[in-house]
Amino acid sequence: MRVVPAQPAAFSFEPARTALVIIDMQRDFLEPGGFGAALGNDVSLLQAIVPAVELLLALAREHDMLVIHTRESHLADLSDCPAAKHEVGTAGLRIGDPGPMGRILVRGEPGNQIIPSLSPIAGEWVIDKPGKGMFYATGLGDRLIAQGIEYLIFAGVTTEVCVQTSMREANDRGYRCLLIEEATESYFPAFKQATLEMIIAQGGIVGHTATLAAMVAALSEEQA
């Protein structure tokens, strides 16, 4: 077992039964000229976490942990996008509309791809999710059970939406969850801070949070 100093208490995990989950690090959310920028968001806030996520990904690969990448995405015919979701947003910039990098949040479009520096490699899972949470309509739950995964370490964007939703889904299914603070971000920094506080409230009602340095130390040779 490895032990990470965390909030609200130390987080213990076994790498062989742990998956790193990288949520929605997609071009449309992070790159200038993408969907996020077209909505008026400052994508530099999200870009700032890329080095931290890269380091976390390298650590997971080094220690042979399962790596899961998610993408918020929909079928080309939008049959998996309910009206309640499709109606949200600015006219002309809704799911399926032509965007700066192809049709918005549609599978296979350039903007829907994971940024190049975090591209999945052979053996890593890519989960296309039609909702904000990674378990809804993806079959991920059965795959995790079959793999014997018990611990989930989270990174990605945005903290208060798809990251938090996925953590809450995981918590309800009995997974022990840890979010790495420098490896997640929001277009609205106050939302990130509020989410971190919600996760660890009441003794860790959703999970734990920890710094990247703490994770690096936990996976160091000295503690191996």
Side-chain angles (χ1 to χ4, degrees):
M1 298 289 286
R2 304 301 178 98
V3 180
V4 185
Q7 297 294 331
F11 181 85
S12 299
F13 70 101
E14 183 181 353
R17 294 185 176 275
T18 302
L20 171 63
V21 182
I22 303 177
I23 302 286
D24 297 0
M25 295 292 283
Q26 297 161 232
R27 296 185 63 205
D28 247 338
F29 296 150
L30 278 88
E31 293 187 2
F35 175 51
L39 292 175
N41 295 305
D42 179 3
V43 297
S44 69
L45 293 169
L46 272 56
Q47 290 175 333
I49 70 166
V50 171
V53 181
E54 290 173 347
L55 177 55
L56 194 57
L57 177 56
L59 283 170
R61 288 170 174 170
E62 178 183 351
H63 292 272
D64 297 319
M65 292 163 53
L66 174 65
V67 176
I68 302 170
H69 306 261
T70 75
R71 297 183 294 207
E72 185 173 356
S73 63
H74 293 276
L75 299 171
D77 64 3
L78 304 186
S79 59
D80 59 353
C81 183
K85 182 177 184 182
H86 187 255
E87 292 165 359
V88 175
T90 305
L93 285 175
R94 293 184 176 132
I95 295 169
D97 289 343
M101 296 185 188
R103 293 181 67 202
I104 296 167
L105 296 187
V106 169
R107 295 179 194 176
E109 296 290 327
N112 203 235
Q113 305 309 306
I114 294 166
I115 62 172
S117 67
L118 298 173
S119 291
I121 62 175
E124 296 178 353
W125 299 1
V126 179
I127 303 297
D128 284 300
K129 57 184 184 63
K132 297 171 179 65
M134 67 185 190
F135 287 91
Y136 171 67
T138 65
L140 177 60
D142 290 339
R143 295 181 67 181
L144 288 174
I145 291 170
Q147 195 75 13
I149 298 298
E150 298 180 9
Y151 311 91
L152 298 174
I153 297 171
F154 283 87
V157 298
T158 59
T159 314
E160 77 278 9
V161 184
C162 294
V163 175
Q164 179 177 207
T165 302
S166 295
M167 285 191 73
R168 288 180 180 273
E169 285 184 334
N171 176 267
D172 283 347
R173 287 162 174 80
Y175 292 97
R176 294 174 173 88
C177 301
L178 174 69
L179 176 60
I180 303 302
E181 296 165 9
E182 300 94 333
T184 186
E185 193 52 85
S186 169
Y187 295 123
F188 309 97
F191 291 178
K192 172 183 174 177
Q193 184 57 41
T195 302
L196 295 179
E197 293 172 6
M198 284 188 282
I199 287 169
I200 65 173
Q202 302 179 74
I205 195 167
V206 176
H208 295 68
T209 67
T211 66
L212 181 59
M215 175 58 69
V216 171
L219 289 172
S220 68
E221 291 297 324
E222 289 76 8
Q223 199 179 84

